[in-house]
Amino acid sequence: MPELETAIGSVRLPNPVMTASGTVGHGAELARYLDYSELGAVVVKSLAPYEWAGNPPPRVHPISAGMINSVGLQGPGLPRWLDDELPELADSGARVVVSIWGRSLDDYAAAAEILARADHAALVAVEVNVSCPNLEDRGRMFSHSGAMTEAALAATAACGLPRWAKLSATGDLVDIAAAAVQGGADALTLINTLLGMVIDTEARQPLLGGGGGGVSGRAMGPVAVRAVYDVHAALPDVPIIGVGGVASGADAVEMLMAGACAVQVGTATFADPRAPAKVLRELARWCAAHGVSRLDELIGAAHE
Ligand code: SIN
């Protein structure tokens, strides 16, 4: 069997396949379909330091090559999540990455302080989501500004865990990525959903309750691969987790060759809750069939 262990900075994982934030809920909902302990890590849906109701329905809609969502970051808030959901996740054997979000720098700092007090062995990293497309004031999305991205990352320093910055595919992604690292990000998760919209032609208005939304799934695969490739070329020492359109082992191989040291499986899980395990199995099979004995033989291979 190929050795699939990977390192995302100081975080060592037994394999590079994780769930993507927002696609397996906040807790162990999918544990009856998926052995969480088999995956590299489980990334939970983003949490604020407080409960948040999210956007009006409809919130999700299938599109020809994926889906669009306007969930609006609904969640119980970190304090309740730590009490009610994390223990069950930990019991499942998952290595847990907690995704956090905020509407202000103070929110990010408050989230980090709550996590600093949590002291839970199952938590391996914090994914700092600065790129949700579904907040009411989209013009202020943190990851559209290098300065705001750097400030949001810096605000989370107190959490005491490795921090991964989740970014979206803006034209100046390389600069934003560098700003995230400047703010203290140990790794980058690339990329969040792409801004999109579907019009209900009968009603003559946007279909989703939130108006616009975030496009995910197979349609965004090449966009995500390009983002990973460009950022790896510019910042070769910064670990990258590739996400966007990963539904098979071959998709994971593409991300790794572009420069990612791990991948996340997202939209595919809505169609098949076992998708992350399938991607892992197929990745192992691909490596065996191609004589790849260790994952780092693949990471960044497309740059050589
Ligand atoms: C959402 O809950 O609106 C999606 C979160 C995200 O894309 O960051």
Side-chain angles (χ1 to χ4, degrees), residues 169-243:
T170 50
D172 50 0
L173 176 59
V174 167
D175 295 339
I176 305 283
V181 173
Q182 188 65 30
D186 299 283
L188 305 166
T189 304
L190 306 176
I191 54 176
N192 207 329
T193 55
L194 304 169
L195 290 180
M197 182 177 275
V198 172
I199 303 289
D200 178 339
T201 49
E202 296 304 318
R204 300 181 180 224
Q205 63 184 30
L207 184 144
L208 294 173
V215 174
S216 61
R218 299 209 62 84
M220 70 184 290
V223 181
V225 169
R226 172 73 185 268
V228 170
Y229 187 96
D230 286 355
V231 173
H232 182 71
L235 306 169
D237 297 329
V238 179
I240 298 173
I241 300 118
V243 54

Side-chain angles (χ1 to χ4, degrees), residues 15-76:
N15 67 70
V17 179
M18 309 175 204
T19 62
S21 177
T23 60
V24 293
H26 294 106
E29 286 97 320
L30 294 192
R32 74 186 130 126
Y33 303 105
L34 266 179
D35 179 353
Y36 283 10
S37 69
E38 262 184 18
L39 301 177
V42 171
V43 187
V44 299
K45 183 162 178 62
S46 303
L47 291 146
Y50 38 73
E51 186 173 358
W52 188 251
N55 286 345
R59 288 174 161 184
V60 292
H61 185 73
I63 58 171
S64 51
M67 62 180 268
I68 183 166
N69 92 82
S70 172
V71 175
L73 296 159
Q74 179 190 338

